[in-house]
Amino acid sequence: KRQSIVYSADDILNISGAAAQTLTSTITTTNETGELNIVNATHLVTIAGTVGAEAARVKEIDIADNATTKFSSAVFALALDVNTAATADVTTWTIGNVIGDDGTTAGTMAVDGGTFILDTAVVDGTTVFDTKEVLNNDSGVDLRGLLINKKKILQHYFVHL
């Protein structure tokens, strides 16, 4: 059983297949290298381990159209690209995710549809996505056609600007 996946360059981990999958390993990297691509369009993919770290973020997390994904731990990425178009394409998130370029403003969070479910760790006063280090323009955080499934106000829980 692998305890950790380590990106040492622009490695790419594609998770695809014809069955539900769970990745329990943590993913570590030198800052802004490696990509995690969720391309399994037919079954749930669960990422149980932490992806990246505050000072060592993965280059990109890319979730393909028709994917259903659950992140049980926080993710730290320069870029988050969610291409789920239909509301039936669900991504579940926990608290503590950080998107952007560590120490500057050069990352992006682009979401083109789908549904975000916020897990039970999301309570008053928690941050789901910290986006203070994304681009400081309209491209920094781009949310289009997104449904948020949590009985709280979007701005309060979702994006910490």
Side-chain angles (χ1 to χ4, degrees):
K1 181 176 175 182
R2 178 179 272 185
Q3 296 299 314
S4 181
I5 296 170
V6 180
Y7 290 130
S8 59
D10 281 330
D11 299 326
I12 298 173
L13 174 60
N14 287 316
I15 299 178
S16 63
Q21 298 165 311
T22 299
L23 179 66
T24 58
S25 302
T26 59
I27 297 176
T28 59
T29 183
T30 54
N31 202 29
E32 298 175 11
T33 61
E35 292 183 29
L36 172 61
N37 296 330
I38 310 296
V39 294
N40 185 336
T42 57
H43 293 85
L44 173 66
V45 173
T46 301
I47 309 297
T50 303
V51 178
E54 170 61 34
R57 301 173 190 181
V58 296
K59 182 178 179 180
E60 181 177 14
I61 297 171
D62 190 354
I63 302 172
D65 191 19
N66 298 313
T68 299
T69 309
K70 178 180 180 180
F71 290 93
S72 301
S73 298
V75 303
F76 300 84
L78 172 65
L80 174 63
D81 188 10
V82 181
N83 298 296
T84 54
T87 56
D89 302 341
V90 175
T91 308
T92 302
W93 299 97
T94 192
I95 60 173
N97 304 291
V98 178
I99 309 299
D101 194 357
D102 189 28
T104 186
T105 54
T108 59
M109 179 175 175
V111 180
D112 295 317
T115 299
F116 278 10
I117 294 178
L118 309 180
D119 75 8
T120 57
V122 179
V123 295
D124 192 28
T126 60
T127 298
V128 178
F129 288 96
D130 182 334
T131 59
K132 291 187 299 278
E133 296 172 320
V134 298
L135 290 170
N136 192 16
N137 59 35
D138 290 343
S139 299
V141 175
D142 187 10
L143 308 176
R144 297 175 188 259
L146 176 64
L147 174 65
I148 308 291
N149 190 347
K150 184 72 174 179
K151 296 178 182 176
K152 299 292 178 184
I153 300 170
L154 172 66
Q155 184 179 16
H156 184 73
Y157 286 109
F158 186 64
V159 179
H160 180 229
L161 298 172

